[in-house]
Amino acid sequence: MRKRMDAGDALITYTDEGEGPAVLLLHGSFTAGWFTPAGSRLAADGHRVLTMHRAGYGGSEDLTAGASVAAHAGHAARVLEAAGVRRAHLVGHSSGAAVALQLASTRPDLAASLVLLDAAFPFAPDEPEHPAMPHAVEAAGQGDYERAFDLFFGGVSGPRFREVVVRELGEDGLREAVAGSRYFFTVEGPAMRAWPFGAAEAAAVTAPVLLAVGGESGRLGTGYRARAAQLASWLPHAERRLLPGLSHAAPLEDPAAVASTIEEFVARHSG
């Protein structure tokens, strides 16, 4: 069931379906549809699945000049409160992982566990310099957001990314993702890079954490493995896992594998 909530600085849309252990899905940038296929599987397999459209994406509106990570986390807390959920397993992909970490560090009472897929922030000092991002930023600066979209996702997910999106979300889903490029490059990216999260903030995360990284990360030269390694060194209860054959687009490339990864970790930490 889709619901809408006025959070003051944003109008937030979220869905609530299924019964069982509560799982809050926090999608990455560009589109609110990242977890749509995996979320349906989780709900069918005995989980209560809440999927929040983050401010600026899908059915939600950012009423500010750019929602901070703290603001996104506050919206997530409000969603859980509105749904009557006192404690949930937080699942974040890419920039959504930052939101999950922020929520777990400031409201540890709400986090039963965290599953973070290809966490995009914070950057690691020893990560490789990826050539795709500067070119994507340059294209966005010229107002060519569709080219910026292709450069970014071609770099982190490979050349067939558009086919993957269409297969799972349809042509409308692809158009939504391309349209989300403007918000990501002009508003969300700067807000995410300004996020102050380090060892001290990570130490406040008391829930167990799974840091999952697409196995194609090394071949594509992305920094997600280095970021996961840095987070693992900071987080007191973290484990790491590679997802073979998958890239940054893992939730759409193989929704069944992603859902299974979430289910296994949630099952170990539900009690």
Side-chain angles (χ1 to χ4, degrees):
M1 180 183 298
R2 178 171 288 201
K3 303 180 180 182
R4 193 166 170 85
M5 178 183 68
D6 186 346
D9 60 348
L11 299 176
I12 299 297
T13 293
Y14 67 97
T15 61
D16 185 353
E17 56 185 338
E19 296 181 359
V23 177
L24 176 63
L25 301 178
L26 299 163
H27 64 81
S29 302
F30 296 87
T31 173
W34 278 108
F35 280 123
T36 299
S40 295
R41 286 171 166 80
L42 290 168
D45 289 343
H47 299 81
R48 182 180 179 185
V49 179
L50 296 100
T51 304
M52 184 181 86
H53 293 196
R54 294 197 293 106
Y57 295 109
S60 295
E61 296 178 43
D62 179 1
L63 302 180
T64 70
S68 65
V69 176
H72 287 298
H75 302 157
R78 292 279 299 274
V79 165
L80 292 177
E81 180 183 5
V85 175
R86 298 179 63 184
R87 195 168 174 82
H89 301 274
L90 311 179
V91 180
H93 170 239
S94 191
S95 54
V99 180
L101 281 167
Q102 176 72 20
L103 181 58
S105 66
T106 55
R107 290 290 308 274
D109 57 302
L110 295 177
S113 74
L114 287 82
V115 177
L116 308 180
L117 304 166
D118 263 12
F121 300 95
F123 295 141
D126 60 343
E127 68 179 67
E129 184 176 348
H130 197 278
M133 196 56 161
H135 295 301
V137 170
E138 180 182 11
Q142 297 168 350
D144 191 346
Y145 296 105
E146 185 157 359
R147 182 165 176 266
F149 173 86
D150 285 333
L151 286 167
F152 177 79
F153 278 108
V156 301
S157 302
R160 300 184 63 184
F161 176 73
R162 282 179 174 249
E163 296 175 35
V164 171
V165 176
V166 171
R167 185 190 71 212
E168 296 298 331
L169 303 179
E171 292 286 353
D172 287 345
L174 177 60
R175 281 190 286 272
E176 178 186 325
V178 173
S181 298
R182 179 187 293 271
Y183 183 77
F184 171 73
F185 284 106
T186 62
V187 178
E188 180 162 82
M192 287 285 171
R193 287 193 293 274
W195 179 44
F197 190 89
E201 290 78 14
V205 178
T206 57
V209 180
L210 176 64
L211 296 159
V213 177
E216 291 292 280
S217 177
R219 183 181 69 80
L220 293 167
T222 61
Y224 301 114
R225 288 194 193 189
R227 294 170 201 174
Q230 176 170 261
L231 285 170
S233 72
W234 290 344
L235 293 162
H237 307 290
E239 58 185 84
R240 295 160 64 189
R241 184 178 305 173
L242 277 180
L243 303 178
L246 300 182
S247 75
H248 193 60
L252 295 180
E253 287 173 331
D254 195 341
V258 167
S260 177
T261 298
I262 296 168
E263 286 179 332
E264 184 273 334
F265 197 72
V266 166
R268 282 200 280 132
H269 300 287
S270 294

